[in-house]
Amino acid sequence: MSAYFQSSTHQQPHNHTYQQQRWQPLWSHIPNELVTLADYEHAARQHLPAQMQALLFENNLTSDSNKDALDRYHWLPRVLNSKPIDTSCHLYNPHSAVPLDMHLTHPLWLSPVAHQGLYHPQAELETMQAAQVMNTPVVLSSFGNTPFNQLLPQANVGVVQWYWQALPSAQQITVQSTGALTQARREYNLQLIDELIEGGLQLLVLTVDAPHTGVRAVSRRLGAQLPDYCQAVNMPNFSHHHSSLNVSENSLTHLLAQAPTWEDIIWLVARCRVPVMLKGILHPKDAQLAKDSGCAGIIASNHGRRVLADIMPVASCLPKLREYVGDDMIIIADGGVSSGSDMAKLITLGADAVGIGRGYIYGLALAGALGVAHVNKLLLEELEVTMAILGVGSLSELRPDLLSCIN
């Protein structure tokens, strides 16, 4: 075992009481042994307290079907075809309700991860600092611990992940009918989004796959709960059912009643002043509905298997998603990435860009902004090497004939 995994000089104890004492990064420099994202994950599992790991990994604490699905794919490289490597990424959809035209230096995105104050005292500010250095877009979580107005001005691309909001109770009392309540809720969400646009929002990501937070059995089993200092400061009507680890019929009924419908999406997309993407799309017919609704794209994600453990892996869904929506619709794939090769696989299977979630949180918890930036650097270097070995010079050359699935 590598020395840095054995050393206890900087290691915090596994029974660290994160509820009262904020977690501090272990390292101010990157140990030489951290050379892959898998190394970061191993270090996180070695050092983070068990309850923090439960909150971070949830159903992936012992296995990850997203990663397993990617591992079933193997490369068939072309040789004697060396060329310069260009990882630039053009996300272009001129047919959406608000056209999307975004030029990026690489296809890596940092996906929304809630409550980053659990892993670093500076929370999302550290993540944003690393993203600036690496020119990486960050999708800011609505359940973050830093106000959007502190983060959006710093962002390379202003992207916020939004959950459909219920109308405040005081306003619900004045509504006389179900139809009026639906309309009031729509206008309320649009008002909040307009305020974000004034603050720098350029792309709205609406999460649609979590009408309920799920059973969260791993966290419940270990008694893992968010500490009081992890407040969802950007949620106007934050209710603890979003972070609660208890499941009841009342909360389920309430949440389902507040969840958006396709009619709500159509209404919002037609009025939103920035492009809209839907996060949590796996079924090809839902992808087609998103396209028909005027969305600029989708994020193919299964919520890290957090809300439903036995859900289809993202990699397995991508080819059919691309088949249904064609070439214009933007697809960002998020699920199971642990290497630059995995990034290339998802792009080959149909994605335009790739997101990571837990992967950069390992870096945040272990070494702050430096760790997040290093995770980005490792993945992008591996992507370039993978492309070079495959004999492709650009992302558009990553075609399905280079990939074979081994069952």
Side-chain angles (χ1 to χ4, degrees):
M1 184 179 291
S2 298
Y4 81 96
F5 291 138
Q6 294 177 320
S7 173
S8 60
T9 303
H10 301 290
Q11 183 175 350
Q12 302 201 17
H14 287 276
N15 62 355
H16 171 79
T17 42
Y18 71 94
Q19 291 280 352
Q20 291 79 33
Q21 179 184 351
R22 293 197 180 208
W23 175 263
Q24 298 290 333
L26 300 183
W27 300 305
S28 58
H29 68 282
I30 304 299
N32 293 333
E33 294 89 350
L34 286 174
V35 297
T36 67
L37 187 51
D39 292 335
Y40 270 96
E41 178 175 346
H42 185 73
R45 291 178 182 271
Q46 287 285 318
H47 294 297
L48 295 184
Q51 290 185 323
M52 281 180 65
Q53 289 191 45
L55 292 170
L56 177 59
F57 291 101
E58 194 53 56
N59 292 319
N60 301 285
L61 191 62
T62 58
S63 64
D64 185 353
S65 59
N66 277 321
K67 177 58 179 167
D68 293 342
L70 281 167
D71 287 344
R72 286 196 290 270
Y73 286 95
H74 295 259
W75 293 112
L76 288 169
R78 299 301 302 273
V79 297
L80 301 176
N81 193 29
S82 297
K83 57 184 71 174
I85 303 300
D86 177 13
T87 62
S88 62
C89 179
H90 185 199
L91 303 183
Y92 182 59
N93 184 348
H95 306 298
S96 51
V98 176
L100 178 65
D101 189 359
M102 188 180 298
H103 291 269
L104 303 172
T105 57
H106 57 73
L108 181 62
W109 289 60
L110 301 187
S111 298
V113 176
H115 299 297
Q116 294 184 28
L118 186 64
Y119 312 106
H120 195 286
Q122 296 302 311
E124 293 82 9
L125 290 169
E126 290 283 304
T127 296
M128 185 63 73
Q129 181 181 343
Q132 284 180 301
V133 172
M134 299 303 298
N135 291 319
T136 301
V138 183
V139 184
L140 301 171
S141 172
S142 287
F143 282 94
N145 306 130
T146 308
F148 285 144
N149 60 17
Q150 293 184 32
L151 297 168
L152 283 172
Q154 302 181 44
N156 299 315
V157 182
V159 189
V160 164
Q161 172 254 6
W162 188 251
Y163 284 94
W164 194 255
Q165 294 298 294
L167 196 66
S169 300
Q171 295 183 37
Q172 289 188 40
I173 296 173
T174 65
V175 179
Q176 301 299 316
S177 68
T178 301
L181 178 62
T182 296
Q183 185 61 26
R185 189 185 300 132
R186 290 172 177 175
E187 293 174 355
Y188 177 65
N189 275 270
L190 184 60
Q191 173 192 341
L192 295 174
I193 292 165
D194 279 339
E195 292 173 3
L196 290 174
I197 293 172
E198 296 302 320
L201 176 69
Q202 297 170 270
L203 174 65
L204 178 70
V205 172
L206 188 66
T207 292
V208 295
D209 65 339
H212 192 281
T213 189
V215 175
R216 304 289 173 106
V218 175
S219 295
R220 291 171 65 196
R221 193 174 295 120
L222 292 177
Q225 296 183 8
L226 288 169
D228 291 338
Y229 57 78
C230 283
Q231 296 295 316
V233 296
N234 294 300
M235 297 296 281
N237 305 305
F238 176 62
S239 170
H240 286 290
H241 65 241
H242 285 287
S243 59
S244 172
L245 301 175
N246 297 315
V247 179
S248 70
E249 287 297 321
N250 288 334
S251 66
L252 178 61
T253 301
H254 176 75
L255 287 170
L256 292 179
Q258 304 295 340
T261 65
W262 279 110
E263 288 75 20
D264 293 322
I265 299 300
I266 293 169
W267 186 94
L268 177 67
V269 171
R271 291 160 179 81
C272 188
R273 292 180 287 152
V274 298
V276 177
M277 300 185 74
L278 300 186
K279 181 178 183 293
I281 300 293
L282 293 178
H283 199 292
K285 291 184 178 179
D286 286 339
Q288 182 64 57
L289 287 171
K291 182 178 181 178
D292 295 342
S293 301
C295 293
I298 60 173
I299 298 183
S301 164
N302 59 20
H303 220 99
R305 299 172 62 241
R306 302 177 71 82
V307 297
L308 192 62
D310 48 350
I311 194 169
M312 280 286 287
V314 172
S316 301
C317 298
L318 270 175
K320 189 64 72 172
L321 290 173
R322 177 55 72 193
E323 177 185 334
Y324 265 63
V325 301
D327 293 334
D328 290 332
M329 190 78 164
I330 302 303
I331 300 179
I332 299 175
D334 177 1
V337 168
S338 64
S339 67
S341 178
D342 287 341
M343 289 180 62
K345 288 178 182 179
L346 290 176
I347 293 170
T348 303
L349 291 169
D352 296 289
V354 175
I356 61 167
R358 287 192 311 273
Y360 74 87
I361 295 299
Y362 307 149
L364 179 66
L366 295 170
L370 181 63
V372 177
H374 190 228
V375 166
N376 277 244
K377 180 175 181 290
L378 292 175
L379 289 176
L380 293 173
E381 287 178 346
E382 290 172 0
L383 174 62
E384 292 183 351
V385 171
T386 299
M387 292 171 64
I389 294 173
L390 294 176
V392 303
S394 66
L395 300 180
S396 62
E397 295 179 46
L398 289 168
R399 297 296 185 185
D401 66 309
L402 296 171
L403 209 53
S404 180
C405 186
I406 307 298
N407 292 318

